[in-house]
Amino acid sequence: LDPMGAQDFSAQLAQFSGLEQMTNVNTNLEKLQEQEAQSQNTSIINLIGKTVESNGNTISHKSGGSDTLAYSLGGDAESIKIEIYNATGDRVDTVKLGSQTKGKNQVAWDGLNSQGELLAAGNYSFTVRALNFSDLPVQVNTFSSGLVTDVVFGEGENFAIVNGKELPIDSIKRVSITQ
């Protein structure tokens, strides 16, 4: 801050002005980021009461009702075996299906165990194994769906509570109105 001439003084003033402008831009970007986060949180709240679908294999079964088990096949399959497990990991039912084509598929599960008895309400999980016409395994991705009952705002990541579990918001693949 001891310029020798007017030219050096002008150059230093320009540098200070540029620094002040960059500080103001940074402050405005931080405010914009805060507003975006608030807007995002407001829209996430709108998920409560809606049915969402994501990658996963859990279902929230209501006693006496049926559930849709959704999965995607990486190729055509000749046989499909779906096993349903209760919350403690015990297999309660097995569904065997014939051939299905590549892509998204679904089957209705009646909510009965392998002896034909009505199962209690609760959270269940399922696995899908598929074999192609050469008896080789076919890649399978499973999907979970459920009602969003709560939303949790975390540090850096937000969650929807679905089937009693925290589901990261960015893993939701589909949202629909519950009927």
Side-chain angles (χ1 to χ4, degrees):
L1 294 175
D2 190 18
M4 299 297 287
Q7 188 175 13
D8 291 336
F9 183 69
S10 295
Q12 287 180 359
L13 279 177
Q15 287 176 338
F16 285 132
S17 176
L19 179 62
E20 181 182 16
Q21 287 176 354
M22 287 192 317
T23 302
N24 289 340
V25 166
N26 191 36
T27 301
N28 289 337
L29 284 174
E30 287 172 357
K31 288 179 184 177
L32 189 60
Q33 224 173 4
E34 288 174 19
Q35 289 175 345
E36 175 65 23
Q38 290 172 354
S39 174
Q40 206 173 40
N41 289 348
T42 300
S43 58
I44 290 170
I45 289 172
N46 291 327
L47 290 175
I48 295 174
K50 298 212 169 84
T51 299
V52 296
E53 184 178 277
S54 66
N55 291 330
N57 67 337
T58 60
I59 48 176
S60 181
H61 175 66
K62 293 182 177 124
S63 186
S66 66
D67 296 287
T68 300
L69 310 178
Y71 52 94
S72 179
L73 298 173
D76 292 344
E78 180 182 25
S79 66
I80 297 166
K81 181 177 170 183
I82 302 172
E83 295 178 327
I84 296 101
Y85 300 89
N86 64 16
T88 59
D90 299 321
R91 187 176 65 211
V92 295
D93 196 13
T94 302
V95 177
K96 293 182 181 179
L97 303 169
S99 63
Q100 289 186 335
T101 58
K102 175 182 178 177
K104 193 163 183 186
N105 293 279
Q106 60 186 25
V107 64
W109 173 55
D110 57 13
L112 304 176
N113 66 15
S114 54
Q115 288 79 37
E117 301 165 337
L118 193 63
L119 288 168
N123 291 327
Y124 291 81
S125 62
F126 66 100
T127 61
V128 179
R129 290 184 182 86
L131 297 174
N132 65 16
F133 295 96
S134 301
D135 281 337
L136 296 172
V138 175
Q139 179 185 351
V140 178
N141 293 318
T142 55
F143 301 99
S144 292
S145 65
L147 183 68
V148 177
T149 56
D150 295 292
V151 173
V152 177
F153 299 105
E155 293 294 321
E157 189 168 21
N158 300 320
F159 301 91
I161 305 299
V162 180
N163 299 335
K165 295 183 179 180
E166 287 186 350
L167 177 67
I169 296 297
D170 59 0
S171 70
I172 293 174
K173 305 286 185 201
R174 180 180 179 175
V175 178
S176 57
I177 296 172
T178 304
Q179 306 250 342

